[in-house]
mmCIF file with all atom_site columns, all heavy atoms in Angstrom:
data_model
loop_
_atom_site.group_PDB
_atom_site.id
_atom_site.type_symbol
_atom_site.label_atom_id
_atom_site.label_alt_id
_atom_site.label_comp_id
_atom_site.label_asym_id
_atom_site.label_entity_id
_atom_site.label_seq_id
_atom_site.pdbx_PDB_ins_code
_atom_site.Cartn_x
_atom_site.Cartn_y
_atom_site.Cartn_z
_atom_site.occupancy
_atom_site.B_iso_or_equiv
_atom_site.pdbx_formal_charge
_atom_site.auth_seq_id
_atom_site.auth_comp_id
_atom_site.auth_asym_id
_atom_site.auth_atom_id
_atom_site.pdbx_PDB_model_num
ATOM 1   N N   . GLU A 1 108 ? 53.886 -12.814 -108.671 1.00 93.00 ? 812 GLU A N   1
ATOM 2   C CA  . GLU A 1 108 ? 52.521 -12.878 -109.209 1.00 93.00 ? 812 GLU A CA  1
ATOM 3   C C   . GLU A 1 108 ? 51.973 -14.300 -109.134 1.00 93.00 ? 812 GLU A C   1
ATOM 4   O O   . GLU A 1 108 ? 50.818 -14.522 -108.770 1.00 93.00 ? 812 GLU A O   1
ATOM 5   C CB  . GLU A 1 108 ? 52.484 -12.401 -110.661 1.00 93.00 ? 812 GLU A CB  1
ATOM 6   C CG  . GLU A 1 108 ? 52.573 -10.921 -110.833 1.00 93.00 ? 812 GLU A CG  1
ATOM 7   C CD  . GLU A 1 108 ? 52.517 -10.518 -112.297 1.00 93.00 ? 812 GLU A CD  1
ATOM 8   O OE1 . GLU A 1 108 ? 52.093 -11.319 -113.153 1.00 93.00 ? 812 GLU A OE1 1
ATOM 9   O OE2 . GLU A 1 108 ? 52.897 -9.369  -112.583 1.00 93.00 ? 812 GLU A OE2 1
ATOM 10  N N   . ILE A 1 109 ? 52.800 -15.265 -109.506 1.00 92.00 ? 813 ILE A N   1
ATOM 11  C CA  . ILE A 1 109 ? 52.383 -16.669 -109.473 1.00 92.00 ? 813 ILE A CA  1
ATOM 12  C C   . ILE A 1 109 ? 52.057 -17.089 -108.038 1.00 92.00 ? 813 ILE A C   1
ATOM 13  O O   . ILE A 1 109 ? 51.024 -17.720 -107.789 1.00 92.00 ? 813 ILE A O   1
ATOM 14  C CB  . ILE A 1 109 ? 53.477 -17.574 -110.091 1.00 92.00 ? 813 ILE A CB  1
ATOM 15  C CG1 . ILE A 1 109 ? 53.564 -17.335 -111.594 1.00 92.00 ? 813 ILE A CG1 1
ATOM 16  C CG2 . ILE A 1 109 ? 53.207 -19.044 -109.787 1.00 92.00 ? 813 ILE A CG2 1
ATOM 17  C CD1 . ILE A 1 109 ? 54.735 -18.020 -112.272 1.00 92.00 ? 813 ILE A CD1 1
ATOM 18  N N   . GLU A 1 110 ? 52.927 -16.735 -107.087 1.00 94.00 ? 814 GLU A N   1
ATOM 19  C CA  . GLU A 1 110 ? 52.695 -17.105 -105.685 1.00 94.00 ? 814 GLU A CA  1
ATOM 20  C C   . GLU A 1 110 ? 51.403 -16.481 -105.157 1.00 94.00 ? 814 GLU A C   1
ATOM 21  O O   . GLU A 1 110 ? 50.641 -17.129 -104.439 1.00 94.00 ? 814 GLU A O   1
ATOM 22  C CB  . GLU A 1 110 ? 53.883 -16.683 -104.817 1.00 94.00 ? 814 GLU A CB  1
ATOM 23  C CG  . GLU A 1 110 ? 55.172 -17.419 -105.111 1.00 94.00 ? 814 GLU A CG  1
ATOM 24  C CD  . GLU A 1 110 ? 55.071 -18.921 -104.913 1.00 94.00 ? 814 GLU A CD  1
ATOM 25  O OE1 . GLU A 1 110 ? 54.359 -19.364 -103.997 1.00 94.00 ? 814 GLU A OE1 1
ATOM 26  O OE2 . GLU A 1 110 ? 55.726 -19.646 -105.680 1.00 94.00 ? 814 GLU A OE2 1
ATOM 27  N N   . GLU A 1 111 ? 51.143 -15.229 -105.510 1.00 93.00 ? 815 GLU A N   1
ATOM 28  C CA  . GLU A 1 111 ? 49.926 -14.559 -105.058 1.00 93.00 ? 815 GLU A CA  1
ATOM 29  C C   . GLU A 1 111 ? 48.691 -15.222 -105.659 1.00 93.00 ? 815 GLU A C   1
ATOM 30  O O   . GLU A 1 111 ? 47.688 -15.423 -104.975 1.00 93.00 ? 815 GLU A O   1
ATOM 31  C CB  . GLU A 1 111 ? 49.979 -13.068 -105.433 1.00 93.00 ? 815 GLU A CB  1
ATOM 32  C CG  . GLU A 1 111 ? 48.813 -12.271 -104.928 1.00 93.00 ? 815 GLU A CG  1
ATOM 33  C CD  . GLU A 1 111 ? 48.729 -12.227 -103.400 1.00 93.00 ? 815 GLU A CD  1
ATOM 34  O OE1 . GLU A 1 111 ? 49.749 -12.375 -102.721 1.00 93.00 ? 815 GLU A OE1 1
ATOM 35  O OE2 . GLU A 1 111 ? 47.599 -12.034 -102.910 1.00 93.00 ? 815 GLU A OE2 1
ATOM 36  N N   . GLU A 1 112 ? 48.767 -15.575 -106.939 1.00 91.00 ? 816 GLU A N   1
ATOM 37  C CA  . GLU A 1 112 ? 47.624 -16.235 -107.569 1.00 91.00 ? 816 GLU A CA  1
ATOM 38  C C   . GLU A 1 112 ? 47.381 -17.615 -106.961 1.00 91.00 ? 816 GLU A C   1
ATOM 39  O O   . GLU A 1 112 ? 46.233 -18.033 -106.796 1.00 91.00 ? 816 GLU A O   1
ATOM 40  C CB  . GLU A 1 112 ? 47.822 -16.355 -109.081 1.00 91.00 ? 816 GLU A CB  1
ATOM 41  C CG  . GLU A 1 112 ? 46.583 -16.834 -109.778 1.00 91.00 ? 816 GLU A CG  1
ATOM 42  C CD  . GLU A 1 112 ? 46.602 -16.665 -111.271 1.00 91.00 ? 816 GLU A CD  1
ATOM 43  O OE1 . GLU A 1 112 ? 47.431 -15.906 -111.796 1.00 91.00 ? 816 GLU A OE1 1
ATOM 44  O OE2 . GLU A 1 112 ? 45.763 -17.311 -111.925 1.00 91.00 ? 816 GLU A OE2 1
ATOM 45  N N   . ILE A 1 113 ? 48.433 -18.321 -106.608 1.00 90.00 ? 817 ILE A N   1
ATOM 46  C CA  . ILE A 1 113 ? 48.283 -19.624 -105.960 1.00 90.00 ? 817 ILE A CA  1
ATOM 47  C C   . ILE A 1 113 ? 47.573 -19.457 -104.620 1.00 90.00 ? 817 ILE A C   1
ATOM 48  O O   . ILE A 1 113 ? 46.650 -20.210 -104.285 1.00 90.00 ? 817 ILE A O   1
ATOM 49  C CB  . ILE A 1 113 ? 49.655 -20.316 -105.786 1.00 90.00 ? 817 ILE A CB  1
ATOM 50  C CG1 . ILE A 1 113 ? 50.193 -20.754 -107.140 1.00 90.00 ? 817 ILE A CG1 1
ATOM 51  C CG2 . ILE A 1 113 ? 49.548 -21.504 -104.834 1.00 90.00 ? 817 ILE A CG2 1
ATOM 52  C CD1 . ILE A 1 113 ? 51.640 -21.198 -107.121 1.00 90.00 ? 817 ILE A CD1 1
ATOM 53  N N   . LYS A 1 114 ? 47.977 -18.449 -103.841 1.00 89.00 ? 818 LYS A N   1
ATOM 54  C CA  . LYS A 1 114 ? 47.320 -18.195 -102.554 1.00 89.00 ? 818 LYS A CA  1
ATOM 55  C C   . LYS A 1 114 ? 45.837 -17.904 -102.733 1.00 89.00 ? 818 LYS A C   1
ATOM 56  O O   . LYS A 1 114 ? 44.992 -18.448 -102.014 1.00 89.00 ? 818 LYS A O   1
ATOM 57  C CB  . LYS A 1 114 ? 47.976 -17.003 -101.851 1.00 89.00 ? 818 LYS A CB  1
ATOM 58  C CG  . LYS A 1 114 ? 49.228 -17.314 -101.109 1.00 89.00 ? 818 LYS A CG  1
ATOM 59  C CD  . LYS A 1 114 ? 49.619 -16.092 -100.293 1.00 89.00 ? 818 LYS A CD  1
ATOM 60  C CE  . LYS A 1 114 ? 51.087 -15.817 -100.489 1.00 89.00 ? 818 LYS A CE  1
ATOM 61  N NZ  . LYS A 1 114 ? 51.513 -14.554 -99.910  1.00 89.00 ? 818 LYS A NZ  1
ATOM 62  N N   . LEU A 1 115 ? 45.520 -17.046 -103.704 1.00 85.00 ? 819 LEU A N   1
ATOM 63  C CA  . LEU A 1 115 ? 44.115 -16.694 -103.945 1.00 85.00 ? 819 LEU A CA  1
ATOM 64  C C   . LEU A 1 115 ? 43.313 -17.899 -104.430 1.00 85.00 ? 819 LEU A C   1
ATOM 65  O O   . LEU A 1 115 ? 42.160 -18.098 -104.036 1.00 85.00 ? 819 LEU A O   1
ATOM 66  C CB  . LEU A 1 115 ? 44.024 -15.553 -104.954 1.00 85.00 ? 819 LEU A CB  1
ATOM 67  C CG  . LEU A 1 115 ? 44.542 -14.204 -104.470 1.00 85.00 ? 819 LEU A CG  1
ATOM 68  C CD1 . LEU A 1 115 ? 44.568 -13.202 -105.616 1.00 85.00 ? 819 LEU A CD1 1
ATOM 69  C CD2 . LEU A 1 115 ? 43.704 -13.698 -103.323 1.00 85.00 ? 819 LEU A CD2 1
ATOM 70  N N   . TYR A 1 116 ? 43.910 -18.717 -105.286 1.00 85.00 ? 820 TYR A N   1
ATOM 71  C CA  . TYR A 1 116 ? 43.237 -19.901 -105.807 1.00 85.00 ? 820 TYR A CA  1
ATOM 72  C C   . TYR A 1 116 ? 42.921 -20.872 -104.668 1.00 85.00 ? 820 TYR A C   1
ATOM 73  O O   . TYR A 1 116 ? 41.801 -21.383 -104.574 1.00 85.00 ? 820 TYR A O   1
ATOM 74  C CB  . TYR A 1 116 ? 44.137 -20.565 -106.848 1.00 85.00 ? 820 TYR A CB  1
ATOM 75  C CG  . TYR A 1 116 ? 43.534 -21.794 -107.485 1.00 85.00 ? 820 TYR A CG  1
ATOM 76  C CD1 . TYR A 1 116 ? 42.714 -21.691 -108.595 1.00 85.00 ? 820 TYR A CD1 1
ATOM 77  C CD2 . TYR A 1 116 ? 43.799 -23.068 -106.980 1.00 85.00 ? 820 TYR A CD2 1
ATOM 78  C CE1 . TYR A 1 116 ? 42.169 -22.811 -109.191 1.00 85.00 ? 820 TYR A CE1 1
ATOM 79  C CE2 . TYR A 1 116 ? 43.256 -24.190 -107.568 1.00 85.00 ? 820 TYR A CE2 1
ATOM 80  C CZ  . TYR A 1 116 ? 42.454 -24.062 -108.666 1.00 85.00 ? 820 TYR A CZ  1
ATOM 81  O OH  . TYR A 1 116 ? 41.899 -25.175 -109.251 1.00 85.00 ? 820 TYR A OH  1
ATOM 82  N N   . GLU A 1 117 ? 43.905 -21.114 -103.811 1.00 82.00 ? 821 GLU A N   1
ATOM 83  C CA  . GLU A 1 117 ? 43.682 -22.041 -102.698 1.00 82.00 ? 821 GLU A CA  1
ATOM 84  C C   . GLU A 1 117 ? 42.670 -21.483 -101.707 1.00 82.00 ? 821 GLU A C   1
ATOM 85  O O   . GLU A 1 117 ? 41.843 -22.215 -101.168 1.00 82.00 ? 821 GLU A O   1
ATOM 86  C CB  . GLU A 1 117 ? 45.004 -22.358 -102.007 1.00 82.00 ? 821 GLU A CB  1
ATOM 87  C CG  . GLU A 1 117 ? 45.901 -23.238 -102.858 1.00 82.00 ? 821 GLU A CG  1
ATOM 88  C CD  . GLU A 1 117 ? 47.271 -23.465 -102.272 1.00 82.00 ? 821 GLU A CD  1
ATOM 89  O OE1 . GLU A 1 117 ? 47.674 -22.707 -101.359 1.00 82.00 ? 821 GLU A OE1 1
ATOM 90  O OE2 . GLU A 1 117 ? 47.955 -24.382 -102.745 1.00 82.00 ? 821 GLU A OE2 1
ATOM 91  N N   . LYS A 1 118 ? 42.709 -20.190 -101.496 1.00 79.00 ? 822 LYS A N   1
ATOM 92  C CA  . LYS A 1 118 ? 41.735 -19.554 -100.607 1.00 79.00 ? 822 LYS A CA  1
ATOM 93  C C   . LYS A 1 118 ? 40.324 -19.730 -101.169 1.00 79.00 ? 822 LYS A C   1
ATOM 94  O O   . LYS A 1 118 ? 39.385 -20.023 -100.445 1.00 79.00 ? 822 LYS A O   1
ATOM 95  C CB  . LYS A 1 118 ? 42.080 -18.065 -100.481 1.00 79.00 ? 822 LYS A CB  1
ATOM 96  C CG  . LYS A 1 118 ? 41.266 -17.309 -99.485  1.00 79.00 ? 822 LYS A CG  1
ATOM 97  C CD  . LYS A 1 118 ? 41.804 -15.883 -99.388  1.00 79.00 ? 822 LYS A CD  1
ATOM 98  C CE  . LYS A 1 118 ? 41.078 -15.099 -98.337  1.00 79.00 ? 822 LYS A CE  1
ATOM 99  N NZ  . LYS A 1 118 ? 41.597 -13.728 -98.236  1.00 79.00 ? 822 LYS A NZ  1
ATOM 100 N N   . MET A 1 119 ? 40.188 -19.582 -102.483 1.00 76.00 ? 823 MET A N   1
ATOM 101 C CA  . MET A 1 119 ? 38.878 -19.749 -103.113 1.00 76.00 ? 823 MET A CA  1
ATOM 102 C C   . MET A 1 119 ? 38.418 -21.209 -103.069 1.00 76.00 ? 823 MET A C   1
ATOM 103 O O   . MET A 1 119 ? 37.277 -21.494 -102.721 1.00 76.00 ? 823 MET A O   1
ATOM 104 C CB  . MET A 1 119 ? 38.939 -19.294 -104.576 1.00 76.00 ? 823 MET A CB  1
ATOM 105 C CG  . MET A 1 119 ? 37.629 -19.501 -105.321 1.00 76.00 ? 823 MET A CG  1
ATOM 106 S SD  . MET A 1 119 ? 37.762 -19.163 -107.065 1.00 76.00 ? 823 MET A SD  1
ATOM 107 C CE  . MET A 1 119 ? 38.687 -20.579 -107.621 1.00 76.00 ? 823 MET A CE  1
ATOM 108 N N   . MET A 1 120 ? 39.327 -22.134 -103.389 1.00 74.00 ? 824 MET A N   1
ATOM 109 C CA  . MET A 1 120 ? 38.927 -23.534 -103.534 1.00 74.00 ? 824 MET A CA  1
ATOM 110 C C   . MET A 1 120 ? 38.692 -24.239 -102.202 1.00 74.00 ? 824 MET A C   1
ATOM 111 O O   . MET A 1 120 ? 37.891 -25.152 -102.118 1.00 74.00 ? 824 MET A O   1
ATOM 112 C CB  . MET A 1 120 ? 39.981 -24.311 -104.321 1.00 74.00 ? 824 MET A CB  1
ATOM 113 C CG  . MET A 1 120 ? 40.082 -23.892 -105.762 1.00 74.00 ? 824 MET A CG  1
ATOM 114 S SD  . MET A 1 120 ? 38.524 -23.946 -106.650 1.00 74.00 ? 824 MET A SD  1
ATOM 115 C CE  . MET A 1 120 ? 38.179 -25.668 -106.635 1.00 74.00 ? 824 MET A CE  1
ATOM 116 N N   . TYR A 1 121 ? 39.379 -23.841 -101.164 1.00 70.00 ? 825 TYR A N   1
ATOM 117 C CA  . TYR A 1 121 ? 39.302 -24.601 -99.938  1.00 70.00 ? 825 TYR A CA  1
ATOM 118 C C   . TYR A 1 121 ? 38.489 -23.930 -98.844  1.00 70.00 ? 825 TYR A C   1
ATOM 119 O O   . TYR A 1 121 ? 38.637 -24.229 -97.683  1.00 70.00 ? 825 TYR A O   1
ATOM 120 C CB  . TYR A 1 121 ? 40.715 -24.975 -99.468  1.00 70.00 ? 825 TYR A CB  1
ATOM 121 C CG  . TYR A 1 121 ? 41.410 -25.796 -100.521 1.00 70.00 ? 825 TYR A CG  1
ATOM 122 C CD1 . TYR A 1 121 ? 42.555 -25.336 -101.139 1.00 70.00 ? 825 TYR A CD1 1
ATOM 123 C CD2 . TYR A 1 121 ? 40.875 -26.999 -100.943 1.00 70.00 ? 825 TYR A CD2 1
ATOM 124 C CE1 . TYR A 1 121 ? 43.168 -26.079 -102.133 1.00 70.00 ? 825 TYR A CE1 1
ATOM 125 C CE2 . TYR A 1 121 ? 41.482 -27.745 -101.929 1.00 70.00 ? 825 TYR A CE2 1
ATOM 126 C CZ  . TYR A 1 121 ? 42.624 -27.284 -102.517 1.00 70.00 ? 825 TYR A CZ  1
ATOM 127 O OH  . TYR A 1 121 ? 43.223 -28.014 -103.500 1.00 70.00 ? 825 TYR A OH  1
#
Side-chain angles (χ1 to χ4, degrees):
E812 284 181 17
I813 291 172
E814 294 300 325
E815 184 63 25
E816 189 166 344
I817 290 169
K818 278 189 227 171
L819 292 172
Y820 181 87
E821 289 174 343
K822 186 175 184 180
M823 177 187 73
M824 292 306 295
Y825 300 117

